[in-house]
Amino acid sequence: MPTDADSTSRMQQQQLQRELLRRARAGAAQRTPATDTGAAPGDAARTPKDTRGTASAGDPVPLSRAQRRMWLTERLGGAGASYHVPFATRVRGPFDPAVFETALSALVARHGILRTRYAEHAGEPCQVVLGAPRTVRVPVVDADAAHAPALLRREAARPFDLAAGQAVRALVLRHGPLDHTVLLTFHHIAIDGGSLETVAAELGTLYAAATDALGGHTLTTPPQYADHARREHDGIPGLAAELDRWSGLLAHATPPRLPRPTTAAARTGSRPAAVHSVPLGSALPDALRRLGAERGATLFTVSLTAAFAALHRLTGDDDLVIGVAGTHRSGTAMRGLVGLCVNTLPVRVDASGDPSFAQLLRRVCDALLEAQRHRHIPFDLVLERLGATARAGDGTALVGVTADVLGEPTVLRLPGTSAEYVDVSTDGAKFTLSYALGLGDAARPVALVQYDGDALDDTVAEATARHYAALLDAATTAPERALSKLLGPVAEARSTPAGDGADADGADGAGHPAARALRAQPQVADATVVQPAQGPPVAYAVLRDSVGPSGQELLGLLRRTLAPESVPATVTLLDALPRTVSGELDGARLPGTPAPNPPSGARAEAVTGAFTELLGPVPTPDDDFFALGGHSLVAVQLAERLRTELGLPLTGLDVLQARTPRALTALLDERAAQQAAAKAVGRPDRSRKVRAGTVLVTGATGGVGAFVLRELAARGRPVLALARPESAHLIAAEGVDVVEGDLSDLAGLRDAVANADAIVHAASTFTRPEVDLAAMETMVGAWRRGPFVFVSSVDAYGHPRTDRVAEESPVCEPVSPYGKGKLDCEAMLLRAAGTEGRGGASAVRSPIVWGAHDRLREQLRWGAIGGLYQAAHRGGAIELPRPGTGGHPWYGVAWVHAAALARAVAECLDRPVHGVANACSGHVSWHDLAHDLGELLGSRPDVRESGEVAQDLDHHWHYDSARLARVLRARPGEDRRTVLAEMIDGMTGDDG
């Protein structure tokens, strides 16, 4: 194992370690606020300027390597809320949400990274800094202490739309007049621990500036993250020599072989995080500091040594790697920089020879210093250089175990208030196992481990947490004692990772890991594995009932839970295992077990073609993705290509876990079988004749779709409704058949369109335009007869230059990603209309939709006008733009009743408009809407007018709706006040 025989003096080593702790523990220790009272007058906090250095707004800039890791994690799938950063503080005292909104808006204006969108350019991810918004909305919700934790967790878990430039959002819970909880949720792509301290300090200054009419609160012009990313990108070619050396020192290192769970867990989207903590004596941290001082080490290095000792005890491995957090922040030029500047530092330590804690501490010191010397080299470059050798047999990356020291958490300190940290947990675990010494409460230190509940058993995690705590304690009293004697012999039998040293007992193969895993499933009565003379093993299983998982489904389960060498080539279902009179397995009566043939068929060809195009040579069925040069970005690209080509769900994470063309083809075969089975159950029997005039309706369980179904049923039109499996039961109407699927199920969409005589496309993802476009392309490609109505949005007009917008007016920039997606879908549809037997097409652009439906109620509360609704709900002052501000005589919003929109859609089926038509029931000023909401909610807000226009209220357009005017004419009960009353009356008591 490579080591570094460095001749650095003891004093130099101590200095380097202190520098490592200061920089790498971003967010764990207190720092000096990034403010400067000597700033120039032009940089006053109360009038922040849009400063972006050399990175101009709108210019694409390459991602930093840390951002690239975050972006790839999102695109690979399975991250969930693991990389959301909730920052919550209980604020007691006089707190003004409106002033805080001003301060937050000023903060976002100062730091471009907080208003940056992420896109792709020439196949590579990039970032684009957007202009500063006028206002960053801060919703306020009344909540008592009992309901607050659930509200905070739900808000922190809400997904981010990185393509739209959303990287921070706010929520204030009001517990009483002088008691609030302020939650800011960031995406990790825009912030790290050091940034959080800067954000907290600047918000305090900006809040004070917004309340102080005399001014005097100043902040220096901050550096901009886009400039840092560009400098890093330009400097990567110069790292070649150092990258070679660092990669050489890490050559042949592998992730620690952690014990696998005894029972396989169902696969979920993100890693479920769990924590075990062990209380420590209040005097122990000082004792650990003294131990470190005596031996030239920091407290962090001592705690890291205990983590290595605990991991050695858990795995029995001598060559161990633990990741620690490094940082790219250095020098005064990066002071006050907000952005993601962390870098993973793999620390490789040789724990062989049963060293004492003191000896292991010296090895950890040397390894940590070596890692710190390479802290400027992005870790993902090292992984790409190491390739497949840096991964375990199951694809686990080199750093699956981390260690940290957790200091006092950052809180938001606002003038005149007290601050208390509020812990908001997220559901995802970033790593398989993390050790930490928790010092947040100096009187109650703890040793804790966080772990992936799907990858590690609770009992194993609890044991290693106890060992970690005991090692921290024992190190202070007997540092010279050998590790094997420091805690005594291992009490529990050390678990062996599945697939390593498979149990060979039992002539019938019942001891094979795959056989044990199969029998652990409740629906499997018996199982065995046979190893043929050539090729991989094959498995046989007997189900307890005639209805149960297929062989492909069981094979997929094994692929997700066993090491690759333990996964059989097939799982064959039998009625019973053949046995002799004595009860032993009769192998001669088992179905033949020839060596598996290469996979064949369209899916196998697609997989081989994708591997070849993206990785170079034509692969064999069992070539390894990483050995061929694959990495995360290639996995994302490969998954997107196969998903589009085959119409099957697939993520980059699936590619990383499958690894070989054979396994990936088997996974796709399994999903194709699942999809076919779901369609057979969820669809009408296709053997009978489809009723003439059948209309396919997508988004049938949504707010608009539900009203469209009702309208078509009233007209006697047979309907085929597309709905997700989990919500298909919500559709029940005469003449309505249900087909299960969604916009990502391209094959299902294609089939549904082919069986319909007309199409109403009312479904939308809202936040993923690429999915919407792929779905529209698939539907248009399969459309061969009848009319096609697309429910679009007035957002497709962008920001028109005139206050009155005629139908089919040209688009005007800026256009939101959502509006651009609608525009592109419309263009695709209208180009195809009238060709190859297709009928006419209508793009019906609707504004905000109101109606008595839960989905529409949610949009009223939290959608485009959610800020106004929440302000009206809580009462108090509401500030609205005064007519004439900015040269516009009116500010308000267009709306349409869902029933009127449904009539317009049905009309277009009978009489296509062959283009674009608007569908508006009316327009209401913000002033009138605020009064309506206040009266209906019983809050009576104080509505005021000013010369300022908040971003979410900057709407001053009237949309003409001449083409569909007749059917849009209001019917009894479709006036504005009535529909708003129906929506509000249908909300539950805590829906405010």
Side-chain angles (χ1 to χ4, degrees):
M1 170 179 166
T3 58
D4 179 32
D6 201 307
S7 60
T8 306
S9 68
R10 183 75 61 201
M11 182 177 295
Q12 290 173 317
Q13 288 180 332
Q14 288 179 275
Q15 291 173 341
L16 279 171
Q17 288 191 60
R18 292 191 184 99
E19 177 68 5
L20 168 63
L21 181 58
R22 186 181 73 81
R23 294 179 176 176
R25 307 277 49 82
Q30 294 293 322
R31 291 188 182 173
T32 303
T35 59
D36 186 348
T37 56
D43 296 323
R46 58 189 296 107
T47 55
K49 295 186 177 181
D50 179 7
T51 53
R52 277 181 292 274
T54 59
S56 301
D59 294 339
V61 176
L63 302 188
S64 72
R65 300 304 294 196
Q67 284 180 307
R68 185 185 178 94
R69 288 195 297 275
M70 287 295 104
W71 183 85
L72 285 170
T73 299
E74 285 287 322
R75 296 298 295 272
L76 285 170
S82 300
Y83 291 96
H84 295 186
V85 182
F87 172 43
T89 303
R90 186 82 172 261
V91 177
R92 292 183 173 89
F95 170 76
D96 189 334
V99 173
F100 183 73
E101 188 172 88
T102 300
L104 181 60
S105 302
L107 179 83
V108 172
R110 281 174 54 77
H111 299 282
I113 190 62
L114 299 180
R115 45 187 165 83
T116 293
R117 65 180 298 265
Y118 299 87
E120 287 186 71
H121 179 69
E124 285 291 320
C126 65
Q127 57 188 313
V128 178
V129 179
L130 304 176
R134 287 190 178 92
T135 303
V136 178
R137 190 165 60 88
V138 180
V140 180
V141 175
D142 290 324
D144 57 30
H147 293 92
L151 289 172
L152 295 173
R153 285 194 299 272
R154 185 173 66 184
E155 171 65 15
R158 281 203 298 123
F160 282 93
D161 181 9
L162 298 181
Q166 180 194 30
V168 58
R169 58 176 179 257
L171 176 68
V172 171
L173 300 184
R174 181 169 54 198
H175 314 303
L178 298 178
D179 188 3
H180 298 77
T181 296
V182 180
L183 171 65
L184 296 177
T185 306
F186 300 87
H187 194 284
H188 200 12
I189 200 169
I191 204 164
D192 58 12
S195 301
L196 202 57
E197 294 181 5
T198 298
V199 163
E202 289 195 1
L203 277 174
T205 301
L206 293 166
Y207 185 92
T211 57
D212 185 0
L214 299 178
H217 302 274
T218 59
L219 292 170
T220 59
T221 301
Q224 297 300 315
Y225 189 85
D227 298 325
H228 160 72
R230 182 177 284 133
R231 286 192 300 269
E232 183 190 84
H233 179 268
D234 294 343
I236 284 177
L239 298 177
E242 291 179 281
L243 181 59
D244 286 342
R245 182 174 184 273
W246 188 215
S247 301
L249 292 173
L250 294 171
H252 309 299
T254 57
R257 299 180 308 149
L258 298 173
R260 292 177 181 272
T262 53
T263 58
R267 189 174 182 182
T268 58
S270 60
R271 304 168 178 233
V275 176
H276 279 299
S277 61
V278 179
L280 302 173
S282 59
L284 184 59
D286 285 339
L288 293 171
R289 290 186 182 95
R290 288 194 297 272
L291 173 65
E294 292 168 0
R295 300 176 184 276
T298 63
L299 173 63
F300 174 75
T301 312
V302 175
S303 67
L304 178 60
T305 302
F308 270 107
L311 186 61
H312 175 61
R313 184 180 180 90
L314 176 65
T315 65
D317 291 343
D318 292 332
D319 186 359
L320 297 170
V321 175
I322 291 180
V324 301
T327 179
H328 292 302
R329 298 176 188 273
S330 61
T332 58
M334 296 184 73
R335 182 178 300 163
L337 177 66
V338 172
L340 182 62
C341 296
V342 296
N343 185 34
T344 301
L345 303 181
V347 181
R348 186 180 190 183
V349 170
D350 181 0
S352 64
D354 195 17
S356 67
F357 190 93
Q359 290 171 327
L360 185 62
L361 176 60
R362 176 47 42 211
R363 298 180 192 180
V364 172
C365 284
D366 292 341
L368 190 57
L369 290 171
E370 186 61 62
Q372 176 66 3
R373 293 189 186 95
H374 296 93
R375 67 180 182 273
H376 57 289
I377 299 178
F379 178 57
D380 58 322
L381 290 180
V382 178
L383 277 184
E384 290 179 12
R385 180 66 60 89
L386 294 174
T389 62
R391 295 182 179 270
D394 62 356
T396 303
L398 181 60
V399 172
V401 180
T402 64
D404 205 349
V405 171
L406 306 177
E408 183 179 353
T410 303
V411 294
L412 180 64
R413 301 189 184 280
L414 303 177
T417 67
S418 66
E420 177 188 346
Y421 171 73
V422 177
D423 182 40
V424 182
S425 61
T426 53
D427 294 333
K430 298 180 180 68
F431 300 95
T432 306
L433 176 64
S434 297
Y435 295 93
L437 174 59
L439 305 179
D441 185 344
R444 297 180 179 84
V446 295
L448 57 88
V449 297
Q450 184 187 64
Y451 60 101
D452 175 1
D454 280 349
L456 212 61
D457 277 337
D458 288 343
T459 53
V460 173
E462 185 178 6
T464 197
R466 291 199 314 270
H467 296 157
Y468 176 53
L471 285 161
L472 287 168
D473 188 62
T476 62
T477 57
E480 301 297 343
R481 187 176 298 169
L483 292 180
S484 63
K485 299 178 181 179
L486 199 58
L487 299 183
V490 178
E492 302 90 349
R494 182 177 288 129
S495 301
T496 302
D500 296 347
D503 187 358
D505 64 341
D508 61 359
H512 191 281
R516 294 199 300 268
L518 287 170
R519 287 196 301 274
Q521 301 308 306
Q523 294 171 294
V524 176
D526 202 358
T528 190
V529 173
V530 173
Q531 177 67 60
Q534 294 182 338
V538 292
Y540 300 88
V542 178
L543 299 180
R544 296 186 184 279
D545 199 339
S546 58
V547 178
S550 67
Q552 284 289 346
E553 289 172 329
L554 291 173
L555 183 61
L557 173 70
L558 297 178
R559 190 181 300 112
R560 296 192 296 269
T561 57
L562 297 179
E565 60 269 22
S566 297
V567 177
T570 61
V571 175
T572 300
L573 297 182
L574 302 175
D575 292 333
L577 293 180
R579 296 190 179 276
T580 63
V581 175
S582 63
E584 295 181 352
L585 182 73
D586 187 354
R589 294 165 54 200
L590 285 170
T593 58
N597 294 321
S600 60
R603 287 183 286 275
E605 292 174 1
V607 169
T608 300
F611 266 72
T612 303
E613 180 174 329
L614 295 172
L615 294 171
V618 178
T620 68
D622 299 304
D623 277 345
D624 185 271
F625 173 79
F626 297 108
L628 293 171
H631 50 77
S632 296
L633 180 58
V634 175
V636 169
Q637 294 168 339
L638 196 149
E640 289 180 348
R641 169 177 169 147
L642 292 173
R643 186 169 60 244
T644 301
E645 182 176 346
L646 300 176
L648 293 169
L650 190 71
T651 68
L653 189 60
D654 292 327
V655 174
L656 296 181
Q657 292 175 336
R659 297 183 65 162
T660 68
R662 185 191 302 278
L664 190 56
T665 301
L667 178 62
L668 289 168
D669 288 343
E670 174 189 339
R671 290 185 176 170
Q674 292 171 344
Q675 192 178 85
K679 291 173 184 174
V681 172
R683 291 183 180 173
D685 184 359
R686 294 303 174 199
S687 63
R688 61 179 172 83
K689 183 178 180 181
V690 176
R691 291 172 293 173
T694 293
V695 181
L696 170 68
V697 179
T698 68
T701 57
V704 174
F707 279 85
V708 170
L709 286 185
R710 192 180 306 166
E711 178 67 24
L712 294 176
R715 296 186 180 208
R717 297 290 296 267
V719 173
L720 184 63
L722 183 76
R724 291 192 178 98
E726 64 271 19
S727 55
H729 65 284
L730 299 175
I731 302 172
E734 183 68 27
V736 177
D737 289 326
V738 179
V739 55
E740 294 182 354
D742 59 25
L743 297 188
S744 63
D745 178 6
L746 300 183
L749 279 175
R750 190 179 298 116
D751 188 26
V753 170
N755 284 282
D757 295 313
I759 303 161
V760 174
H761 184 24
S764 174
T765 66
F766 291 99
T767 61
R768 298 182 63 193
E770 71 279 3
V771 174
D772 294 325
L773 285 169
M776 178 60 87
E777 183 178 16
T778 298
M779 295 177 71
V780 168
W783 175 34
R784 285 296 182 273
R785 63 184 180 275
F788 194 130
V789 183
F790 174 47
V791 181
S792 186
S793 169
V794 294
D795 283 20
Y797 287 115
H799 285 60
R801 302 289 181 262
T802 59
D803 289 336
R804 184 161 292 279
V805 184
E807 291 166 309
E808 294 194 323
S809 292
V811 63
C812 294
E813 295 291 344
V815 185
S816 68
Y818 172 70
K820 180 65 164 56
K822 291 292 189 183
L823 198 63
D824 291 343
C825 286
E826 288 179 1
M828 197 182 304
L829 172 65
L830 296 175
R831 281 196 302 268
T835 65
E836 301 183 32
R838 299 179 177 97
S842 307
V844 179
R845 292 183 179 177
S846 79
I848 291 173
V849 183
W850 288 338
H853 189 280
D854 286 344
R855 296 282 180 87
L856 300 178
R857 291 185 176 101
E858 282 293 298
Q859 291 174 21
L860 175 65
R861 292 172 55 217
W862 302 108
I865 64 170
L868 182 63
Y869 177 89
Q870 294 297 332
H873 184 270
R874 65 176 179 264
I878 298 179
E879 191 170 286
L880 301 173
R882 182 181 298 111
T885 302
H888 303 293
W890 176 88
Y891 284 91
V893 67
W895 66 279
V896 64
H897 195 289
L901 177 57
R903 291 196 300 273
V905 167
E907 175 76 5
C908 290
L909 288 174
D910 296 331
R911 301 176 184 83
V913 299
H914 305 291
V916 173
N918 297 337
C920 298
S921 293
H923 298 76
V924 56
S925 70
W926 294 131
H927 187 278
D928 290 344
L929 181 57
H931 277 292
D932 287 349
L933 291 172
E935 290 182 9
L936 293 169
L937 291 166
S939 59
R940 305 291 180 178
D942 177 15
V943 180
R944 305 171 183 175
E945 294 182 344
S946 77
E948 298 294 326
V949 184
Q951 183 182 26
D952 56 346
L953 299 179
D954 190 10
H955 191 283
H956 45 79
W957 297 286
H958 282 74
Y959 301 96
D960 292 337
S961 301
R963 291 184 172 180
L964 298 171
R966 181 181 61 82
V967 292
L968 288 169
R969 189 173 298 118
R971 295 182 179 181
E974 290 182 0
D975 60 284
R976 184 181 79 238
R977 284 293 296 258
T978 299
V979 67
L980 287 173
E982 289 175 344
M983 296 175 76
I984 291 172
D985 289 345
M987 295 181 184
T988 58
D990 61 351
D991 275 348

